[in-house]
Amino acid sequence: MGQKRWFLLLAIFACLLSFSCGRSVLKLKSDDDRPVYNHTLAITLVEYASAVYESDLTKLFTWTCERCNGFTKDFEVIEIIFDVEHCLQAYVGVAEDLNAIIIAFRGTQEHSIQNWVSDLFWKQLDLNYPDMPDAMVHHGFYSAYHNTTVRPAVLDAITRAKQVYGANINIIVTGHSMGGAMASFCGLDLVVNEGEENVQVMTFGQPRVGNAAFASYYSLLVPNTFRITHDRDMVPHLPPYYYHFPQKTYHHFPTEVWVKEFSFSNFVLFGLEKVCDNTGEDPTCSRSVRGTSISDHLRYFGVELMCESWRQCSIVMNQEMERYSRKDSKGNIFLSRNVIKTSTLSKTGISSP
């Protein structure tokens, strides 16, 4: 009993230090002009990142799945991309309450997370990023976005949405795990190749995707980026970072927000969110602990980020979706609805075809 009481007193003291019990932010503003981290936006976007794991495309397209609720309620999807060939899934829609187009990418599905992590540990830099001297990236993550059906479908959906909501609407890109890696390449692509200016990227449990040169370019081009990492999540530690070989190793881009949880007897007492420095590899954030946890990778802000089961890549879709769907020659599936802003300016402003 004495030990439990001591632990409770310690927890209360820590809460007082952070000025509030519950979710606390250690540092909200940076010392320079970097964008400010928004906790409310983070707990909203994690729900969007979770919903993209839904395998029932009917429920996802109609936004009636169990995950399609909470802060994302009333969101309406305008495009779903299911790449059968590479087992990739993404969606695009408009969140009028955020005045933003939301793009969400799913994390790995086809293999067990253990096997995927093992592959990441040994993966080396193997691709020069176009028009960025000395910048190298992970070929698999780059190709998953750039060399599949995902990119053209996403860009087409953005064009359709902007025709209705205006050229200045914000674009927010999110994803978890490998989906976070794809989200970062998407955000960079929108800025560099599509000339977009109002782009924000927020990812969860994202692995490293390039070297230090790439991280420097990325941070200059897409400064409104936040990588949320959770306690001892192992994936942000991969592929490995080697301090003594900065140009030859993987390197995170900023800005990391490290969520450190304090628990007792499997009960989370409170969590602290620390906005890290602008190096991308702040030694006082997730790098201060060993990345040993899969469970920390699969849950962020209490939201599950995984498929219902680790089965072979598959989906469910009822016949009602046929009028929205099309397939390409490789069997990849696309669900699309026209973007028509109603005169009453409804929550989503998107109608059926």
Side-chain angles (χ1 to χ4, degrees):
M1 177 66 76
Q3 188 176 8
K4 288 184 178 180
R5 182 174 296 176
W6 178 86
F7 189 91
L8 268 175
L9 288 172
L10 182 63
I12 292 169
F13 178 70
C15 277
L16 290 173
L17 284 179
S18 60
F19 299 104
S20 78
C21 292
R23 294 268 172 206
S24 305
V25 178
L26 289 181
K27 178 185 176 187
L28 278 177
K29 284 197 174 183
S30 59
D31 297 329
D32 50 30
D33 294 328
R34 286 186 294 152
V36 177
Y37 170 64
N38 186 322
H39 167 76
T40 302
L41 181 61
I43 61 176
T44 301
L45 292 181
V46 76
E47 292 187 357
Y48 282 115
S50 175
V52 76
Y53 279 99
E54 176 62 54
S55 61
D56 188 327
L57 297 192
T58 302
K59 292 182 178 179
L60 183 61
F61 194 65
T62 57
W63 208 250
T64 56
C65 62
E66 290 185 12
R67 304 170 190 240
C68 308
N69 212 324
F71 291 104
T72 67
K73 189 177 181 180
D74 298 328
F75 177 78
E76 194 169 351
V77 178
I78 63 174
E79 185 81 21
I80 292 178
I81 307 104
F82 181 70
D83 189 306
V84 176
E85 186 180 7
H86 304 95
C87 195
L88 301 173
Q89 185 166 306
Y91 67 76
V92 183
V94 177
E96 194 165 290
D97 57 341
L98 297 176
N99 187 35
I101 298 169
I102 304 293
I103 308 166
F105 296 91
R106 189 182 67 186
T108 186
Q109 151 84 336
E110 189 172 3
H111 307 294
S112 71
I113 189 69
Q114 290 91 344
N115 290 341
W116 186 70
V117 164
S118 178
D119 290 342
L120 270 185
F121 188 84
W122 298 106
K123 187 64 178 176
Q124 299 300 308
L125 292 158
D126 52 8
L127 184 70
N128 293 314
Y129 194 89
D131 300 320
M132 291 185 182
D134 302 319
M136 297 192 71
V137 295
H138 184 287
H139 180 272
F141 295 147
Y142 176 91
S143 296
Y145 172 72
H146 280 277
N147 300 331
T148 65
T149 60
V150 172
R151 180 177 184 267
V154 166
L155 295 182
D156 177 71
I158 292 172
T159 299
R160 285 159 34 218
K162 292 180 72 172
Q163 287 172 347
V164 175
Y165 284 88
N168 293 325
I169 188 171
N170 299 316
I171 301 176
I172 302 177
V173 195
T174 191
H176 164 253
S177 197
M178 185 181 77
M182 294 177 66
S184 65
F185 282 117
C186 177
L188 183 61
D189 177 41
L190 292 175
V191 172
V192 173
N193 298 314
E194 302 302 316
E196 298 290 350
E197 296 181 354
N198 303 318
V199 177
Q200 177 168 0
V201 176
M202 184 175 288
T203 67
F204 304 88
Q206 177 193 320
R208 296 182 177 99
V209 298
N211 64 355
F214 175 78
S216 295
Y217 285 116
Y218 185 97
S219 63
L220 290 173
L221 293 165
V222 197
N224 198 358
T225 295
F226 292 95
R227 293 182 299 100
I228 316 299
T229 59
H230 179 206
D231 216 343
R232 296 178 180 270
D233 180 352
M234 62 170 48
V235 172
H237 292 258
L238 299 172
Y241 168 82
Y242 299 111
Y243 179 79
H244 297 290
F245 304 98
Q247 296 303 319
K248 302 296 183 181
T249 190
Y250 285 89
H251 193 292
H252 272 307
F253 50 74
T255 298
E256 178 187 1
V257 178
W258 186 39
V259 181
K260 174 68 176 175
E261 290 185 340
F262 295 86
S263 59
F264 180 66
S265 298
N266 296 321
F267 176 74
V268 177
L269 295 174
F270 62 94
L272 299 176
E273 296 165 79
K274 179 179 181 180
V275 180
C276 310
D277 66 22
N278 62 357
T279 66
E281 295 288 348
D282 190 333
T284 67
C285 288
S286 65
R287 278 190 55 208
S288 66
V289 298
R290 293 183 61 195
T292 56
S293 176
I294 291 178
S295 61
D296 284 352
H297 181 62
L298 300 177
R299 181 177 290 269
Y300 272 67
F301 299 114
V303 176
E304 285 193 353
L305 292 152
M306 58 186 293
C307 298
E308 295 87 350
S309 62
W310 293 106
R311 59 177 180 267
Q312 192 71 13
C313 191
S314 63
I315 59 167
V316 177
M317 188 171 66
N318 67 26
Q319 291 183 343
E320 295 178 10
M321 292 293 103
E322 289 183 1
R323 67 189 180 116
Y324 301 98
S325 68
R326 62 181 175 85
K327 288 185 179 181
D328 65 13
S329 59
K330 296 182 179 179
N332 300 311
I333 299 171
F334 307 86
L335 296 177
S336 303
R337 93 167 20 96
N338 293 330
V339 187
I340 303 175
K341 196 171 185 179
T342 65
S343 58
T344 56
L345 293 177
S346 64
K347 176 74 171 178
T348 59
I350 305 167
S351 71
S352 300

